Amino acid sequence: MPDETISLMKNHRTYRQFDEDYQLSDQELQQILDSARQAPTWMNGQLYSILVIKDPQIREQLVAWNPGNPHMRHSSVFLVFLADLKRTQKVAEYKKTDYNVGQSVDPLLVAVADAAFALQNAVNAVEALGLGSVVVGSIRNNIDEVAELLQLPDYVFPVAGLSIGKPTVPMAVKPRLPQAAVVHFDTYQDYDYSQIEDYDATMKKFGELRETKDWTQKFADVFSRPASQKVDDYLKSHGLLK
């Protein structure tokens, strides 16, 4: 039913604690993968791949690099969504044509978007099955090591992981920024900074324990730090950016 689908998306929440004894069935996993693969994609290019990580040793190593995310090991399954321009590189090689990926950031952005669309479809499918998930962007913190562990070839970039399982701790729906600060009609329109400050108050009232700073302070701190060059170096070494 349309109302049920909309309700599902409006009530999205992230879970980080999962029942370690719960095993995702093959049918459930296939439904999630099938849903992910039907996501929108540029020119039907499907410029992404999905790694299904079941091997406990691989998952233990991922947690060792990201100790703040133990759910990567304790969830039923861990998926890694990849921006994948290797497939089209194989096409160019077979067709004996030039392959100009890397000369512009645009192909990479398209591939990352394709991977993100697939990931979001997977999240929706997980929730439709009555399960929970958490998106893990921190796999990029150790991008070279992760790429070696997962044997990623050139032209492939790990976008994010997704832990999936049966939640054990209830979570509330997290408030979002005011619509006026996010949604624009026809043209981008400026808005009063108080809209952002109001969100600090909203989140403080929400009282998420894992948040130790106001939303504004958190991102002021994040983007004031020198940017890591790990991803830039990875993109250059894997043919995705000159």
Side-chain angles (χ1 to χ4, degrees):
M1 296 290 292
D3 288 349
E4 292 177 1
T5 302
I6 291 173
S7 177
L8 189 76
M9 291 187 287
K10 288 175 65 177
N11 285 282
H12 164 74
R13 62 205 76 183
T14 289
Y15 296 92
R16 292 179 173 83
Q17 288 82 33
F18 300 101
D19 183 349
E20 295 182 43
D21 296 324
Y22 180 80
Q23 294 296 316
L24 196 72
S25 71
D26 290 342
Q27 181 182 16
E28 288 171 324
L29 176 59
Q30 195 60 56
Q31 287 178 306
I32 293 166
L33 295 173
D34 288 345
S35 298
R37 292 176 54 239
Q38 284 302 128
T41 169
W42 174 78
M43 290 183 65
N44 195 33
Q46 302 165 71
L47 304 177
Y48 67 92
S49 288
I50 305 170
L51 287 180
V52 181
I53 311 295
K54 293 184 176 182
D55 187 323
Q57 291 185 319
I58 293 177
R59 295 172 71 180
E60 287 284 5
Q61 182 58 68
L62 290 172
V63 173
W65 289 326
N66 294 267
N69 291 314
H71 49 74
M72 291 192 291
R73 174 65 181 93
H74 301 311
S75 55
S76 294
V77 69
F78 186 66
L79 307 182
V80 179
F81 289 79
L82 309 168
D84 189 345
L85 288 154
K86 183 65 176 179
R87 193 176 301 115
T88 43
Q89 188 266 337
K90 287 178 176 287
V91 171
E93 186 176 350
Y94 185 83
K95 299 286 187 181
K96 296 181 173 58
T97 61
D98 292 337
Y99 195 58
N100 292 320
V101 164
Q103 295 186 3
S104 164
V105 73
D106 189 60
L108 174 63
L109 293 178
V110 170
V112 168
D114 274 9
F117 296 149
L119 187 155
Q120 183 58 58
N121 260 28
V123 169
N124 291 342
V126 166
E127 294 178 0
L129 291 169
L131 301 171
S133 67
V134 52
V135 177
V136 188
S138 61
I139 62 168
R140 298 190 304 274
N141 292 348
N142 298 81
I143 191 166
D144 290 320
E145 295 88 346
V146 167
E148 183 177 358
L149 179 68
L150 303 181
Q151 299 180 26
L152 304 186
D154 288 350
Y155 302 108
V156 173
F157 172 71
V159 175
L162 185 69
S163 291
I164 299 170
K166 183 178 180 181
T168 57
V169 177
M171 298 295 289
V173 177
K174 189 178 295 184
R176 295 312 198 205
L177 284 159
Q179 178 170 305
V182 177
V183 179
H184 308 268
F185 293 90
D186 297 321
T187 60
Y188 193 100
Q189 299 166 20
D190 199 6
Y191 46 88
D192 194 271
Y193 186 74
S194 63
Q195 296 279 354
I196 301 175
E197 287 184 315
D198 287 347
Y199 188 59
D200 274 343
T202 298
M203 287 301 295
K204 187 171 291 186
K205 185 177 179 180
F206 181 68
E208 186 176 19
L209 294 178
R210 66 191 299 269
E211 293 290 357
T212 59
K213 300 178 181 179
D214 287 344
W215 187 90
T216 52
Q217 190 60 54
K218 177 170 69 172
F219 287 101
D221 291 347
V222 166
F223 291 116
S224 66
R225 293 194 291 265
S228 170
Q229 295 300 306
K230 287 183 180 180
V231 170
D232 302 64
D233 293 342
Y234 176 91
L235 295 176
K236 293 171 184 176
S237 67
H238 283 72
L240 291 160
L241 191 64
K242 299 296 185 185

